[in-house]
Amino acid sequence: YDPAKTKANFVMATSSTSANAIMASGTNKVYGSIHTGLGGAVNFGTNLFSAGDAAWVNGNQPGMQTGHSFDDMTMMFPDVSPPAGTGIVPSGNHIGGTNYDLALTNNNTLYVSSSQLIWAGNKIVLVSGANVTWWLKKGMAVSGNFAILIAPGASLKLYVGNTTGSAVTWTLSGKGVVNDGPPSAFQYYGLPTNTGFTYSGSHSFNGLFYAPQAAFTMSGGRDYYGAFVAKSINRSDGFSLHYDEAVANLQPAF
């Protein structure tokens, strides 16, 4: 992230038509525009809120700048379909003097974990292959210093949940996802049973998130970079959320 390249093109949007379609408290600054469903309203409940272009927000102008609030959000977000193919079960590996609990090393490969992964302690998943897909059908339960480490030049599309069955929720804690490449190097897709995801990793979230049935809770005080689509988004702990324009041409509608 380079602050010198910051623009005021952030878009916060919801299809909700309620009077509290978007709510927040405390100090909030939106460099860009806010969109709700027809008749929806923004309720920030404080005069510490500012939304508009850079001059407006940097000048500490309170409230919504004229021309930056709309009730025209009608976009529909389709369900996520499972990745194609049967896939292989991921396994651990010893690479470069380090033991990895799982190592996704093959390029253009689908890995499938059919049962819930329950891990405690210092567990590491290494992604070193390009265009890797990993389908976690029943999610994951982690504690301790867990990390998904995406190596330079590698990329991961992570599918969570299934088309039918029990609800899948997941709290990704520990280090979280360590992606120091572009946001497109980590893409999260929540299938219909993926109803909740909480990110509390100590590493900033750098990626794309698309899970239209999931409540996405952002916590941990780290910044978020990329683009995000969820049934609801709840942010806390004071951090910044940055949209990366480099993902605008990716699918679905980032």
Side-chain angles (χ1 to χ4, degrees):
Y1 175 67
D2 182 356
K5 298 179 180 178
T6 298
K7 299 178 181 178
N9 292 343
F10 187 85
V11 175
M12 181 185 298
T14 175
S15 59
S16 173
T17 60
S18 77
N20 297 313
I22 297 177
M23 297 182 64
S25 61
T27 301
N28 291 274
K29 296 182 178 181
V30 177
Y31 288 82
S33 60
I34 297 179
H35 301 248
T36 69
L38 182 64
V42 178
N43 180 5
F44 283 89
T46 174
N47 58 7
L48 299 178
F49 159 72
S50 181
D53 61 24
W56 177 273
V57 177
N58 290 335
N60 295 316
Q61 297 293 328
M64 190 84 66
Q65 183 181 11
T66 301
H68 287 76
S69 178
F70 309 89
D71 64 347
D72 59 355
M73 176 62 176
T74 59
M75 184 177 294
M76 302 296 292
F77 295 94
D79 290 346
V80 175
S81 298
T86 56
I88 61 175
V89 178
S91 60
N93 205 339
H94 184 83
I95 301 174
T98 300
N99 287 319
Y100 295 97
D101 298 275
L102 292 180
L104 313 182
T105 58
N106 297 339
N107 297 336
N108 306 307
T109 299
L110 169 64
Y111 295 89
V112 177
S113 298
S114 297
S115 59
Q116 185 186 42
L117 299 181
I118 302 176
W119 281 347
N122 299 325
K123 303 293 185 179
I124 301 177
V125 176
L126 172 67
V127 180
S128 59
N131 194 30
V132 172
T133 299
W134 185 20
W135 184 10
L136 280 165
K137 291 186 176 182
K138 295 186 178 179
M140 182 185 294
V142 301
S143 60
N145 203 24
F146 174 83
I148 296 176
L149 176 61
I150 300 178
S155 60
L156 172 65
K157 292 181 179 179
L158 181 64
Y159 287 74
V160 177
N162 215 326
T163 53
T164 60
S166 300
V168 174
T169 61
W170 182 17
T171 296
L172 182 49
S173 56
K175 290 183 179 178
V177 179
V178 181
N179 171 29
D180 293 327
S184 58
F186 176 68
Q187 301 182 29
Y188 182 109
Y189 294 96
L191 278 81
T193 64
N194 182 202
T195 59
F197 178 74
T198 297
Y199 188 83
S200 60
S202 61
H203 196 279
S204 293
F205 186 103
N206 182 25
L208 311 179
F209 183 91
Y210 182 90
Q213 282 80 27
F216 187 8
T217 300
M218 301 175 170
S219 64
R222 297 296 180 178
D223 286 357
Y224 287 69
Y225 305 91
F228 310 89
V229 175
K231 183 176 182 179
S232 64
I233 294 179
N234 184 2
R235 61 179 290 267
S236 60
D237 293 342
F239 56 80
S240 296
L241 181 61
H242 307 270
Y243 173 65
D244 192 323
E245 291 183 324
V247 308
N249 294 323
L250 296 177
Q251 296 297 323
F254 291 118

